[in-house]
Amino acid sequence: MKFISKYRKHRFARPLLLLFSLCALGFTFSVATAAPSSNSMAADARSTLIEEGQQIFLKGCSSCHGLNAEGAGVGPSLIGVGAASVDFQVATGRMPMQDMSQQAMRKAPVYDEEEVAALAAYVASLAPGPRAYTNEEIKWERDGNTAEGGELFRNNCAMCHNFAGQGGALTQGKYAPTVMGVEPRHIYEAMITGPQAMPVFSDKTITPAEKLSIIKWIKSAESEPSLGGAPLGRVGPVTEGLLVWTLGLGLLIGIAVWLTAKSR
Amino acid sequence: MTARERIAGNVANYVDERTGAAAWLKKNLNKVFPDHWSFMLGEIALYSFIILLLSGTFLTFWFDPSMRHVVYEGSYQPLKDVEMSAAYASTLHISFDVRGGLLMRQIHHWAALIFVAAIVVHLLRVFFTGAFRKPREFNWILGVALLTLAIVEGFLGYSLPDDLLSGTGIRIAHAIIQSIPVVGTYLSFFAFGGAFPGEVFIPRIYIVHVLLLPGIFLALITVHLMLVWYQKHTQYPGPGRTEKNVVGYPLMPVYMAKAGGFFFIVFGITAFLGAVASINPLWLYGPYTPGQISAGSQPDWYMGWLDGLVRMSPPLETYLFGKTISWNILIPGLIIPGIIFTGMALYPFIESWITGDKREHHLLDRPRNVPNRTALGAMSLTFMVIAMINGGNDIIATHFDLTINQIMWFSRIGIIVLPPLAFVITKRICLSLQRKDRELVLHGRETGRLVMLPHGEFIEVHEELSPAKKFALTQHEQPAAIELVKEDARGVLNPKGIRAKIQARLSSANAENIAKPTAAEVKELESGHH
């Protein structure tokens, strides 16, 4: 370090040092505020998405779920529910709720797919939770097994959703909705998040492959033609009894009246 | 005489000389039946039974009543390679791989629902018109027995395919058997050959379903019809109709044609239902395993009331001397049905005790003229309908946006409050209809024609009823109440005591009627009619 000790008292030393320091400072600053590279651009878009999601959340959800999704008297905390829950609840129109009834019902979604993604990103940013899926990721047609799915459905799902997936009643006005006409990703997300009255079916209870089989069985039941004639709602013997007492006996008694009518 | 007539005559003569059938046929083919639509309700039941025999026989050709484990290899893909019982597999085979099998299965099931429904409406007709009165009490009891057996037979048939729904029904039947105090467990072991589900109940209920019960049905139906034949048919009152005659058409040719034609119509409607409406789509239910259950598991309609009673019963259970008694199953599952069916069977005797009427009756009552009986019928029906509604509470809840709890509480309260209310309302309606009849006989029918009299007064012209109509409205007799005899002339207390008191009280309620117009009143009005 002879060089430094030799010239440190040089008359140009101070201005040079000042110049060097200013340059260093300027460079650091310019690096810190420079236009982002390709890698940091994704991170930034993500933070914008989260920002956007937060804005939607503040407008549409915070009155029940709290300003920081910490939950309030009416709505539960959303910290840790993950993107899967948001995608299921919002993209099927269940959230935001229309009224404070027992259960949020399925309706036309309020937010479009992009807004749902933003909301999901925001909620997922609060704490880790199950991620959302796309329909393309759920490869039920390739990996599912209908018969096995039927067994699994009858074992795990039919007690609430009915043997043909038509839905059924639960206590106090809650109900299991029909699983007909539901997008595969939403069926999958429902199983992993357990929305509303539904329990969570973790990957240990029902493996991902088995979940695909269940979806395949549901899709097969959905597209199965009504083999015996009018399906009568596929809700079991109640509608059959109704038909017998109205149309069946109605016709028979009507004809008995006709047979015994006096000719005038 | 043409050649053909001669040959026919010779054949008939040949048969007659050896059997003596001509005289018997002549007498019976001329037998007269009264004409009314409500007399054909029992026929619907009879014809459905024949349809059940025919379609059921078809099904037995392929059905395998066994609980042997098989792996399904038939043509219904969603159940491919699923393990199931041979009973379920063979039912799937009938449905998908036997030509016409699904249609026959559906016809069989629809016919079963129509069979029980027709028995019920037939029974209601007999009840509300008083056709069960002397001398027809035994036939009434036979009818109640047939209804009970029909419900059991239907339930066994529903249980045979061993699908998820029928297995659930069997499970509930098993629970009801177990609820019998002390012997319930032993009885259930006896019936199921061990613990539920075991391996024997499908073969057992099969033989009861296809052999024992149909045999009993045939015997009871035969006796039921022979009694109708022997006692002659009842008829509605009207001019020329008495307790000693039957007004109507002869069996040959009129009723041969009507009844024969009606059989084909019943068959046609059943086949139509079987062709266009799905019933018991058991391939969707899947095979039965005790670990599974479906939401909306219901019995067929004729068991719906029983299910509804069980569903509404509060969770009562006692634990006595080391034995658990499940009142919540025992009361709705056995005690209440027992009371209902026993009461129904004994009703003719109860009514004749109340009215003190021991005479024969072949002329039917118009329901309004016996307000108490009609009100009792409406009360029982209300009870059954509420129980039935609760049996479908989950389906009603999802389809009408209600909660199961609301429906259950409606049923719990309603089943106690509404039947008595129905009694009172029906009785009042009957009495009002009697008033209307009285008004009609005395003042005629309102024509709606207004006439202005010369002095400016407006009157509505009433049209007098025909004598036939007047007769029909006034021919019935109105019962007098039985006087309560506290002590006889010599001061001895009536030995019947409280029974006499109850009888007198019920009888005076039964005698509550609007006085029908007397001949004197009619005559007086006829002489100076406005």
Side-chain angles (χ1 to χ4, degrees):
Chain A
M1 284 303 192
K2 247 184 173 171
F3 178 75
I4 289 175
S5 39
K6 188 175 172 188
Y7 290 103
R8 74 186 167 104
K9 295 287 184 185
H10 197 274
R11 59 190 173 120
F12 289 124
R14 274 190 192 184
L16 268 175
L17 191 64
L18 189 66
L19 193 69
F20 183 75
S21 310
L22 281 172
C23 280
L25 191 68
F27 184 73
T28 314
F29 185 77
S30 78
V31 164
T33 61
S37 66
S38 66
N39 205 8
S40 59
M41 249 165 77
D44 195 60
R46 181 138 198 90
S47 64
T48 336
L49 196 66
I50 291 171
E51 194 99 334
E52 210 180 295
Q54 187 173 20
Q55 289 312 313
I56 299 170
F57 182 87
L58 287 174
K59 278 187 213 135
C61 320
S62 62
S63 57
C64 300
H65 290 290
L67 287 170
N68 298 306
E70 78 280 19
V74 262
S77 161
L78 299 183
I79 294 167
V81 300
S85 277
V86 179
D87 192 47
F88 175 81
Q89 300 276 3
V90 184
T92 61
R94 290 186 165 82
M95 288 288 154
M97 263 177 116
Q98 205 161 36
D99 53 48
M100 296 306 287
S101 52
Q102 292 292 343
Q103 187 169 328
M105 64 176 130
R106 196 173 170 202
K107 56 182 187 290
V110 175
Y111 299 112
D112 61 28
E113 290 284 309
E114 280 171 21
E115 289 168 317
V116 173
L119 264 176
Y122 169 65
V123 172
S125 75
L126 300 171
R131 72 180 181 96
Y133 287 79
T134 61
N135 284 335
E136 289 69 43
E137 285 176 278
I138 312 286
K139 300 202 183 305
W140 55 271
E141 277 169 306
R142 197 190 64 188
D143 299 337
N145 176 326
T146 314
E148 188 202 350
E151 282 284 274
L152 287 161
F153 188 88
R154 287 189 288 276
N155 257 324
N156 298 288
C157 321
M159 72 268 285
C160 301
H161 288 285
N162 141 313
F163 58 87
Q166 299 293 325
L170 304 174
T171 53
Q172 306 290 1
K174 295 194 283 285
Y175 60 92
T178 173
V179 294
M180 298 289 111
V182 182
E183 287 189 35
R185 73 171 212 262
H186 291 144
I187 303 177
Y188 197 91
E189 286 162 354
M191 286 190 274
I192 56 176
T193 61
Q196 312 203 18
M198 181 165 161
V200 174
F201 292 94
S202 73
D203 286 353
K204 279 183 187 144
T205 321
I206 299 179
T207 65
E210 289 175 337
K211 287 190 172 95
L212 296 183
S213 293
I214 291 180
I215 294 173
K216 186 158 187 178
W217 183 84
I218 291 173
K219 291 296 158 193
S220 133
E222 206 172 284
S223 58
E224 184 180 304
S226 184
L227 297 168
L232 307 181
R234 285 187 180 167
V235 290
V238 171
T239 44
E240 296 162 3
L242 200 62
L243 191 73
V244 152
W245 275 99
T246 50
L247 183 70
L249 274 206
L251 274 174
L252 287 168
I253 292 177
I255 286 168
V257 172
W258 171 59
L259 277 178
T260 50
K262 295 210 166 43
S263 50
R264 289 197 172 91
Chain B
M1 196 184 274
T2 64
R4 191 181 295 167
E5 281 172 345
R6 204 174 55 242
I7 293 167
N10 283 343
V11 171
N13 203 38
Y14 181 88
V15 175
D16 183 42
E17 280 171 358
R18 280 154 187 83
T19 60
W24 184 86
L25 271 179
K26 189 179 175 194
K27 175 166 169 274
N28 286 298
L29 286 179
N30 280 329
K31 197 170 178 74
V32 164
F33 279 93
D35 213 18
H36 195 272
W37 65 267
S38 68
F39 298 159
M40 302 189 90
L41 300 174
E43 278 178 46
I44 302 177
L46 176 66
Y47 300 150
S48 310
F49 181 68
I50 295 170
I51 298 167
L52 284 167
L53 283 184
L54 296 176
S55 55
T57 307
F58 179 92
L59 296 176
T60 59
F61 296 161
W62 290 278
F63 182 68
D64 179 5
S66 148
M67 296 180 83
R68 181 165 51 84
H69 283 261
V70 297
V71 173
Y72 182 65
E73 295 295 347
S75 52
Y76 184 68
Q77 287 307 304
L79 287 173
K80 191 168 170 48
D81 294 335
V82 171
E83 278 190 42
M84 55 183 67
S85 65
Y88 185 58
S90 62
T91 316
L92 291 174
H93 177 71
I94 292 173
S95 303
F96 295 116
D97 299 308
V98 172
R99 198 174 295 274
L102 180 56
L103 178 67
M104 275 301 192
R105 249 198 65 224
Q106 300 204 137
I107 288 178
H108 191 69
H109 206 136
W110 283 119
L113 297 195
I114 292 175
F115 179 53
V116 193
I119 294 178
V120 170
V121 286
H122 174 55
L123 179 138
L124 290 176
R125 196 281 294 172
V126 168
F127 179 83
F128 283 115
T129 58
F132 55 80
R133 290 172 297 172
K134 188 180 171 185
R136 293 181 178 78
E137 299 99 323
F138 288 168
N139 230 10
W140 166 265
I141 293 175
L142 273 181
V144 173
L146 280 167
L147 172 63
T148 319
L149 288 178
I151 292 174
V152 174
E153 175 76 341
F155 179 70
L156 294 184
Y158 160 101
S159 306
L160 271 179
D162 202 28
D163 59 284
L164 185 51
L165 187 65
S166 67
T168 306
I170 289 278
R171 181 60 150 165
I172 294 170
H174 176 247
I176 290 176
I177 295 175
Q178 281 194 320
S179 77
I180 303 170
V182 187
V183 294
T185 316
Y186 304 102
L187 277 182
S188 85
F189 278 135
F190 176 69
F192 288 84
F196 182 85
E199 297 261 301
V200 296
F201 76 84
I202 294 279
R204 283 184 182 176
I205 59 179
Y206 177 71
I207 212 67
V208 176
H209 180 78
V210 304
L211 179 73
L212 182 63
L213 284 179
I216 297 176
F217 266 113
L218 274 176
L220 291 188
I221 290 176
T222 309
V223 178
H224 197 70
L225 292 180
M226 277 166 60
L227 276 172
V228 172
W229 196 270
Y230 174 72
Q231 292 174 333
K232 322 266 184 310
H233 208 289
T234 52
Q235 58 186 343
Y236 285 100
R241 297 173 180 191
T242 68
E243 298 280 9
K244 305 248 179 245
N245 68 5
V246 180
V247 178
Y249 298 101
L251 181 68
M252 185 75 190
V254 179
Y255 267 95
M256 276 312 198
K258 281 194 185 189
F262 198 41
F263 169 71
F264 290 107
I265 287 170
V266 174
F267 210 150
I269 288 175
T270 314
F272 170 75
L273 281 174
V276 303
S278 164
I279 186 165
N280 202 17
L282 41 68
W283 53 90
L284 291 172
Y285 298 145
Y288 181 63
T289 51
Q292 299 175 350
I293 184 134
S294 163
S297 289
Q298 315 276 0
D300 277 341
W301 76 263
Y302 43 81
M303 297 278 277
W305 58 279
L306 201 59
D307 193 22
L309 287 174
V310 174
R311 285 180 187 210
M312 76 172 80
S313 79
L316 288 175
E317 217 171 66
T318 50
Y319 188 71
L320 272 179
F321 308 115
K323 303 261 181 227
T324 308
I325 301 179
S326 295
W327 298 104
N328 52 345
I329 304 287
L330 185 62
I331 295 175
L334 282 171
I335 295 179
I336 294 179
I339 294 172
I340 289 173
F341 278 85
T342 314
M344 201 149 68
L346 293 181
Y347 185 74
F349 309 102
I350 298 172
E351 190 184 285
S352 93
W353 175 70
I354 291 172
T355 55
D357 187 353
K358 311 286 179 205
R359 295 166 302 163
E360 281 201 6
H361 293 278
H362 300 281
L363 281 176
L364 296 172
D365 287 322
R366 298 172 75 221
R368 68 186 62 176
N369 289 334
V370 199
N372 250 34
R373 181 203 296 147
T374 308
L376 190 72
M379 181 169 122
S380 315
L381 268 183
T382 310
F383 182 91
M384 285 305 205
V385 168
I386 292 171
M388 187 87 94
I389 286 173
N390 198 51
N393 57 7
D394 45 349
I395 304 293
I396 295 171
T398 48
H399 286 71
F400 294 96
D401 268 349
L402 296 164
T403 84
I404 277 199
N405 305 60
Q406 285 168 351
I407 302 171
M408 189 189 65
W409 277 105
F410 163 80
S411 315
R412 279 180 176 176
I413 298 169
I415 207 150
I416 294 167
V417 173
L418 294 182
L421 206 63
F423 183 94
V424 174
I425 292 172
T426 311
K427 186 157 181 181
R428 291 300 123 188
I429 290 175
C430 286
L431 292 176
S432 296
L433 287 170
Q434 288 187 7
R435 269 187 210 101
K436 182 187 143 227
D437 283 353
R438 183 186 158 86
E439 192 65 23
L440 272 176
V441 171
L442 291 179
H443 301 293
R445 193 172 62 84
E446 292 179 3
T447 56
R449 275 188 295 131
L450 291 180
V451 174
M452 192 170 88
L453 298 180
H455 58 278
E457 184 192 347
F458 284 94
I459 58 158
E460 186 189 3
V461 178
H462 284 229
E463 191 183 18
E464 207 184 323
L465 296 185
S466 67
K469 188 92 185 153
K470 276 187 189 172
F471 175 80
L473 294 185
T474 54
Q475 50 74 40
H476 61 284
E477 41 176 73
Q478 297 187 310
I482 300 172
E483 290 288 324
L484 175 60
V485 184
K486 278 190 181 137
E487 47 190 60
D488 66 11
R490 276 173 285 177
V492 180
L493 274 179
N494 188 342
K496 281 179 181 165
I498 186 86
R499 274 185 296 149
K501 238 182 223 171
I502 294 171
Q503 188 189 23
R505 178 71 197 84
L506 292 174
S507 156
S508 81
N510 188 59
E512 194 183 339
N513 280 303
I514 304 299
K516 65 179 188 179
T518 60
E521 283 174 315
V522 174
K523 194 154 275 175
E524 186 189 333
L525 276 165
E526 270 168 359
S527 58
H529 207 276
H530 46 258

